[in-house]
Amino acid sequence: MELTEREYRLATLFFSKVGELLSRAHLLELVWGIKGDVSTRTVDTHVSRLRRKLELDGRHGLRLRSVYQSGYRMEVCSTSAVEQRVAN
């Protein structure tokens, strides 16, 4: 699977900060190098693509979760949640 440079940079950030909330503004500054108070859907679009490409929906033990009006957090799913998904 191929990731764009920005998707790779986002993935690196999320995997290095599992459990931490990363705000959209912070991601814009770190990945795009632009001031975080800009109103844009760029981060959301890239995160959505990254989530789909890397299957970060919990089925493999990790979930990239949207935190309403705040940003995103990479979460480790419990084993039972993963097993339950596999069983269904």
Side-chain angles (χ1 to χ4, degrees):
M1 143 205 5
E2 290 186 32
L3 297 178
T4 66
E5 179 184 343
R6 294 229 161 94
E7 289 168 342
Y8 179 81
R9 290 170 71 186
L10 276 172
T12 301
L13 276 171
F14 287 123
F15 283 111
S16 68
K17 306 232 182 245
V18 173
E20 293 182 37
L21 176 65
L22 298 173
S23 71
R24 286 175 181 84
H26 188 63
L27 293 170
L28 274 172
E29 290 177 20
L30 291 175
V31 176
W32 282 267
I34 58 178
K35 188 131 174 82
D37 59 358
V38 175
S39 177
T40 179
R41 298 287 299 172
T42 299
V43 174
D44 302 313
T45 301
H46 279 77
V47 167
S48 177
R49 282 191 218 136
L50 183 65
R51 188 185 285 132
R52 186 178 64 251
K53 285 182 177 182
L54 298 182
E55 299 178 340
L56 296 172
D57 56 5
R59 73 179 102 170
H60 301 293
L62 290 171
R63 175 178 289 125
L64 184 50
R65 183 173 297 250
S66 300
V67 179
Y68 183 69
Q69 294 187 343
S70 296
Y72 297 92
R73 178 184 298 125
M74 181 74 77
E75 298 177 342
V76 176
C77 300
S78 68
T79 306
S80 59
V82 173
E83 289 171 354
Q84 184 178 17
R85 242 180 205 241
V86 171
N88 292 329

